[in-house]
Amino acid sequence: DFKTIEYWDGNFWRQVDNTTRSGRALFGGGDDANGLLSNISSLQFMTLGNAVFFGDLTVARTNPGGCASETRGVWAGGEAPSTNNTIDYNAIASGGTGVDFGNLLSNHRYKAGCSSSTRGLFGAGSTPSATNVIEYVEIATTGDAADFGDLMGNGMINSGSFASQTRGFFVDKAISIDQECQVVTIASKGNTISYLPQGLPGGDMNGDAGRGCSNSTRGLFVGAGQTKNIDCVDLVSDGITYDFGDMTQAKYGVGCSASPLRGVFYGGWTPTRQNTIEYVTFASMGNAVDFGDATHAIRETASNVSDCHGGLGGF
């Protein structure tokens, strides 16, 4: 019994948002000039300013996958410095060192994470070769990840991801045009299907290290191929995309997170590590503007760890 209220929108059952959230984003792992980081930093979406120290991962690593419920942030895989299968979690409301959650099915880096209120998905990545495997965990419990299904084709290495309340999306510009955005239903296991037959507005065949985040209706994809471009995917009306605007710098390996109102882009690689944080407003579209500074000049930190991202409110 999840003690929730639901309504039918004509296509899906939606959960009424009756929880209280802080509006906090967490960015864990990555690397700075001194090497791999266990550091987790946090920021509050509604107030501009610098990120602050939050706690630590159980293992210092770069390129972990991230996801979250309203209460827990979960981090999976990465390089420490070799590929790693560690999953750990933190309570979003309180800082501190992470706790062991379990393990991925095998060692992976560049895992793309997304989630509903209860289930987290980790797809794509490399071992170090590209993989098409999607794994999942039940966020409220602990334990090893289980097989969810497969991505189309031979898989993705540097991919972005985001979620609506019911579906998870995996995006990569460096694969064939009809596979650049793939979708699954989070509550039911299975393989992805194509979501955008025409590809993304800024799509190319040589993208690298793109990242994504979303509210419940729009998904953003940034940084593929070290560009400024921000692509927007409509998560409600299948197949609609927008050229949303530009980041302040051309960079990749950016950490992304979102609230219902704002998407935030953290650090990145230009190819020097950056300590900038910038944000956009989902409703208005346009170019990113300055938010504050990261705790480190950092790249390859986890995305999609917040207590108010677009996947929350569904099962």
Side-chain angles (χ1 to χ4, degrees), residues 100-267:
D100 180 62
F101 188 100
N103 296 109
L104 293 170
L105 294 172
S106 60
N107 293 350
H108 279 84
R109 59 180 180 178
Y110 296 117
K111 275 294 187 187
C114 60
S115 59
S116 66
S117 294
T118 59
R119 178 176 283 184
L121 305 185
F122 298 102
S126 66
T127 63
S129 58
T131 178
N132 67 350
V133 173
I134 306 171
E135 305 174 37
Y136 78 97
V137 295
E138 300 297 339
I139 299 174
T141 64
T142 58
D144 294 341
D147 183 64
F148 183 93
D150 295 319
L151 295 162
M152 300 167 62
N154 295 321
M156 306 172 177
I157 295 180
N158 291 303
S159 64
S161 54
F162 37 75
S164 70
Q165 294 177 333
T166 56
R167 296 189 286 183
F169 299 80
F170 298 93
V171 191
D172 195 333
K173 292 183 179 179
I175 54 179
S176 62
I177 198 73
D178 62 348
Q179 297 177 20
E180 286 179 337
C181 185
Q182 305 174 34
V183 62
V184 293
T185 300
I186 297 174
S188 60
K189 294 178 286 185
N191 300 334
T192 61
I193 60 173
S194 179
Y195 188 76
L196 295 177
Q198 81 280 16
L200 293 162
D204 60 41
M205 296 300 291
N206 299 301
D208 184 52
R211 296 292 182 265
C213 64
S214 64
N215 66 4
S216 62
T217 58
R218 285 178 166 170
L220 303 181
F221 185 65
V222 302
Q226 194 181 334
T227 63
K228 289 185 177 181
N229 194 69
I230 305 171
D231 286 332
C232 180
V233 178
D234 192 306
L235 307 185
V236 179
S237 302
D238 290 7
I240 296 177
T241 63
Y242 310 90
D243 183 0
F244 190 97
D246 292 317
M247 291 189 290
T248 60
Q249 297 172 289
K251 53 189 174 182
Y252 59 96
V254 179
C256 293
S257 195
S259 72
L261 300 179
R262 288 178 171 174
V264 173
F265 313 131
Y266 190 93

